[in-house]
Amino acid sequence: MYDLIVIGGGPAGLAAAYEGYTGGAKKVLILERDKELGGILNQCIHNGFGLHYFKEELTGPEYAQRFAEMVRSTDVEVKTDTMVLEITEDKKVHAINTVDGYMILEAKAIVLAMGCRERTRGAISIPGTRPAGIFTAGTAQRYVNMEGYMVGKRVVILGSGDIGLIMARRMTLEGAKVLACVELMPYSNGLNRNIVQCLNDYGIPLYLSHTITDIQGDRRVEKVIISKVDENRKPIPGSEIEFDCDTVLLSVGLIPENELSRGVGIQIDPRTNGPVVYENMETSIPGVFACGNVVHVHDLVDFVTAESKRAGGNAAKYILSEGIQEGKLIQLKNGDNVGYTVPQKIRTGNVDKFVEVFFRVRNVFQDVVIKVTSGGEALSTFKREHMAPGEMEKIVIPKALLDKAADEIVISVEKE
């Protein structure tokens, strides 16, 4: 019997396991399906990690190594190359590897930290033939940075998510010619710093309100045709642009990896595709917590770490049976221009001083006000000069305001 089992050994799992252990959970196990700890960070060899948490600029592998060493300095047990097949409501974890075979492990609490996966060509239905040379940006990143393979010489990137922008720069540095970055929306979905450092600095054009309407090629991609789209995101005839290329990279969104969560019956939020969580990152099943990109897709790993520490610390409190002080239950709802909120539910009795609420907006805004209302009454407002869908927002709601609220709080974004 373990106190805590953490599923996933990426940045979320490492932070949750470390915090759980230091918070009092003595028998902690991390299960990781890859051959080493670190998750996606191992292939993110660019810098920009750790500015918030370590107050210095690190590469992905350096950030992962710091946390792996912190975990190794404890008695936390780690099983890599281990696939989790199922979790049950009574907190049994079914897993398999080549050393132990089929295992059924019991825990007092579980933290889900499986991360997310990329949306593929099949998910977005690009027309055209099916030649070689079409990769998700993350797959290309792994090939180039970890396996040592070059994926192509003349590249078109669909989507302006952060991985796609970073791969535009990476491919250029490796000697490829990135012909275009094509984005369906009228704004980029990546961080502004990545647009500047990865596209503008290398003279790579960004085609907003465009999409790929044809991929041509026999054995290998030979040509890509893009078209401008109208306000309904439908291609405009006569606006086609042709590119002679041999590679297409797809950076068209990330999907939280929640097959295990769905299998055990955890309530899923259709807005985030992740579990519905309370203020302490607990899911709809008591004692099962979730954190990181499995809950909602983050833009910075430092935020993943902070959220995961909260999940691990609260899992330790649960194990030590400090119990949940229910209090009043408040539902968080997204109002105008807000895509989702995390957490989705707040138990006021379980809040010490304040609750941090994370959300993303639906469009690019300048000079706006974030309004927090309950029962038609304004609880609080926050001014922002700039907001964009590619950047996660955070507000802090003090306990005093939660005590004043009705059983529902709405967060919306409006023009000043």
Side-chain angles (χ1 to χ4, degrees), residues 150-316:
M150 188 60 174
V151 294
K153 296 196 174 83
R154 291 175 64 80
V155 185
V156 171
I157 297 174
L158 177 63
S160 59
D162 289 312
I163 311 172
L165 297 174
I166 285 159
M167 281 309 291
R169 174 177 64 185
R170 189 77 186 94
M171 296 296 289
T172 303
L173 292 173
E174 286 293 336
K177 174 71 176 166
V178 180
L179 304 167
C181 187
V182 184
E183 171 56 58
L184 179 68
M185 304 302 286
Y187 51 81
S188 169
N189 282 299
L191 291 171
N192 201 45
R193 73 177 191 203
N194 285 335
I195 297 164
V196 173
Q197 293 173 6
C198 302
L199 297 186
N200 300 355
D201 287 0
Y202 294 91
I204 298 168
L206 174 60
Y207 291 85
L208 296 173
S209 297
H210 280 74
T211 192
I212 291 177
T213 47
D214 199 10
I215 296 175
Q216 298 175 6
D218 181 15
R219 291 175 176 276
R220 177 92 191 187
V221 174
E222 293 163 18
K223 194 175 285 186
V224 164
I225 294 158
I226 71 169
S227 300
K228 195 168 174 52
V229 296
D230 59 22
E231 62 275 9
N232 298 317
R233 299 179 208 152
K234 296 282 187 283
I236 300 169
S239 63
E240 293 84 1
I241 306 170
E242 285 191 10
F243 292 100
D244 290 323
C245 62
D246 61 11
T247 305
V248 177
L249 299 188
L250 305 176
S251 178
V252 290
L254 300 165
I255 303 167
E257 186 87 65
N258 273 299
E259 279 64 32
L260 290 173
S261 317
R262 286 190 180 90
V264 72
I266 287 171
Q267 187 184 350
I268 300 291
D269 187 338
R271 302 169 301 173
T272 58
N273 282 321
V276 170
V277 292
Y278 290 96
E279 70 297 320
N280 63 346
M281 304 311 293
E282 191 172 22
T283 67
S284 57
I285 295 180
V288 179
F289 298 77
C291 57
N293 283 356
V294 84
V295 178
H296 61 129
V297 177
H298 295 61
D299 45 10
L300 295 179
V301 73
D302 305 71
F303 297 158
V304 169
T305 297
E307 186 178 278
S308 305
K309 286 181 69 176
R310 196 157 72 247
N314 285 313

Side-chain angles (χ1 to χ4, degrees), residues 328-345:
K328 179 171 57 182
L329 179 66
I330 298 174
Q331 303 271 354
L332 281 181
K333 302 281 183 175
N334 48 302
D336 293 343
N337 302 312
V338 172
Y340 69 81
T341 62
V342 169
Q344 290 88 347
K345 298 178 181 181

